[in-house]
């Protein structure tokens, strides 16, 4: 993890909306998502809005990805969601690219 880029990401995330945040998982967690349980693995990054998880940054076959699972976005929030996806995509390597700093 590149801490300098992670700190930069944090500032830009808050600039999009003060309620946005993230959490790097230190342990694997089980989450109740509707009627099923999903596992979030150690090292994954949960993107949150308030206390709710919006989506997860993870790796699939060692490729950094954004795991959207099942997301519903209304018209009023679509621009913010688009900006959020773009920002997360730009900083995937900050979390999964190694210990550069």
């Amino acid at each position: 993890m590149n801490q300098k880029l992670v700190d930069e990401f944090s500032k830009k995330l808050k600039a999009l909306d003060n309620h946005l945040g993230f959490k790097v998982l230190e342990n694997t967690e089980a989450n109740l998502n509707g009627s099923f349980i999903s596992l979030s693995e150690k090292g994954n990054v949960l993107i949150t809005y308030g206390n709710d998880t919006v989506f997860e940054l993870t790796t699939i076959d060692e490729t950094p990805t954004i795991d959207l699972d099942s997301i519903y976005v209304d018209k009023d929030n679509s621009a913010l969601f688009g900006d959020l996806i773009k920002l997360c995509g730009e900083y995937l390597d900050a979390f999964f690219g190694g210990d550069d700093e």
Side-chain angles (χ1 to χ4, degrees), residues 38-68:
S38 64
L39 289 178
S40 297
E41 294 183 21
K42 177 181 178 177
N44 287 1
V45 181
L46 302 180
I47 303 298
T48 59
Y49 189 87
N51 293 325
D52 298 322
T53 299
V54 179
F55 54 80
E56 189 170 339
L57 307 182
T58 187
T59 58
I60 297 176
D61 296 330
E62 299 181 20
T63 301
T65 60
I66 300 170
D67 182 359
L68 298 175

Side-chain angles (χ1 to χ4, degrees), residues 11-87:
K11 290 176 186 173
K12 289 184 178 184
L13 191 65
K14 288 292 181 191
L16 277 179
D17 189 299
N18 200 37
H19 295 98
L20 288 168
F22 70 96
K23 174 183 173 185
V24 178
L25 297 179
E26 295 181 16
N27 297 300
T28 297
E29 294 183 2
N31 305 300
L32 182 60
N33 189 357
S35 61
F36 65 93
I37 295 175
S38 64
L39 289 178
S40 297
E41 294 183 21
K42 177 181 178 177
N44 287 1
V45 181
L46 302 180
I47 303 298
T48 59
Y49 189 87
N51 293 325
D52 298 322
T53 299
V54 179
F55 54 80
E56 189 170 339
L57 307 182
T58 187
T59 58
I60 297 176
D61 296 330
E62 299 181 20
T63 301
T65 60
I66 300 170
D67 182 359
L68 298 175
D69 205 21
S70 59
I71 300 290
Y72 302 97
V73 181
D74 62 20
K75 179 181 176 182
D76 295 337
N77 292 305
S78 62
L80 173 63
F81 187 74
D83 292 341
L84 177 59
I85 292 291
K86 182 179 179 185
L87 178 66

